[in-house]
């Protein structure tokens, strides 16, 4: 994802994994070690865009990170990201069959569309897009593996 944004932009990569930061640095971006479960080490209104792709499901308090993102975004700045669609039909059928719906033990939170919208309640024009999956064209909410989201900080 960083490659898509790096050209023509100042990009800062944040991670708790130092190996991931070392790899990101090879792309020519600034890297910052930080635990996103703590306040972010950036000034207020420091960024135009903050991307949180496949991150929120790993956090104890994703709402706290979203609040921090709002703090570090400039007015009219954009939050963008994605989370697994935990309530897709495949997972519902797994639950009906008595099997666990989530296979990744690092996922602390399960998200459905309304959960993501609730996280974005401080942002204007929240948008959700449902992607990835063989049958997405039939019913995006039921068959999409991923919920992509965005919103704009009030300006």
């Amino acid at each position: 994802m960083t490659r898509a944004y790096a050209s023509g932009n100042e990009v800062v990569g944040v991670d708790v994994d130092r190996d991931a930061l070392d790899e990101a640095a090879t792309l020519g971006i600034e890297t910052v070690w930080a635990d996103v479960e703590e306040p972010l080490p950036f000034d207020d209104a420091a960024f135009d865009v903050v991307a949180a792709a496949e991150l929120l499901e790993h956090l104890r308090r994703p709402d706290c990170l979203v609040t921090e993102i709002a703090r570090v975004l400039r007015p009219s700045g954009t939050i963008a990201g994605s989370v697994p669609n935990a309530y897709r039909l495949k997972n519902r059928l797994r639950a009906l069959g008595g099997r666990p719906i989530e296979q990744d033990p690092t996922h602390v939170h399960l998200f459905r569309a309304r959960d993501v919208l609730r996280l974005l309640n401080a942002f204007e024009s929240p948008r959700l897009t449902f992607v990835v999956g063989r049958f997405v064209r039939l019913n995006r909410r039921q068959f999409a593996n991923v919920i992509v989201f965005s919103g704009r900080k009030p300006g």
Side-chain angles (χ1 to χ4, degrees):
M1 183 173 77
T2 302
R3 284 184 186 95
Y5 294 112
S7 180
N9 295 300
E10 293 179 38
V11 177
V12 178
V14 176
D15 207 306
V16 71
D17 181 339
R18 294 189 191 279
D19 291 334
L21 291 173
D22 289 343
E23 187 173 332
T26 66
L27 300 173
I29 68 168
E30 178 184 346
T31 60
V32 174
W33 182 92
D35 180 350
V36 296
E37 299 257 30
E38 301 294 328
L40 295 172
F42 303 109
D43 292 336
D44 294 357
F47 297 97
D48 293 318
V49 177
V50 173
E54 304 298 308
L55 171 65
L56 299 178
E57 65 274 11
H58 299 278
L59 305 179
R60 291 183 309 271
R61 295 287 312 270
D63 57 317
C64 291
L65 178 59
V66 172
T67 299
E68 273 295 286
I69 289 171
R71 179 186 67 78
V72 302
L73 277 173
R74 292 185 178 112
S76 299
T78 299
I79 181 175
S82 62
V83 294
N85 182 11
Y87 290 86
R88 64 189 183 269
L89 184 59
K90 178 181 177 181
N91 283 349
R92 291 176 187 212
L93 293 173
R94 289 176 65 88
L96 284 173
R99 295 173 32 210
I101 67 169
E102 189 53 61
Q103 300 299 311
D104 187 334
T106 69
H107 288 184
V108 178
H109 282 277
L110 303 176
F111 289 98
R112 58 186 165 216
R114 69 175 157 211
D115 301 324
V116 177
L117 288 173
R118 193 174 301 120
L119 282 175
L120 297 176
N121 69 353
F123 293 87
E124 296 175 342
S125 307
R127 292 187 57 198
L128 302 181
T129 305
F130 298 84
V131 298
V132 185
R134 284 184 282 183
F135 302 109
V136 170
R137 68 188 176 284
L138 298 176
N139 185 316
R140 292 181 303 236
R141 287 180 185 249
Q142 291 295 322
F143 293 108
N145 294 331
V146 177
I147 302 170
V148 176
F149 61 85
S150 66
R152 193 182 53 196
K153 181 178 176 178

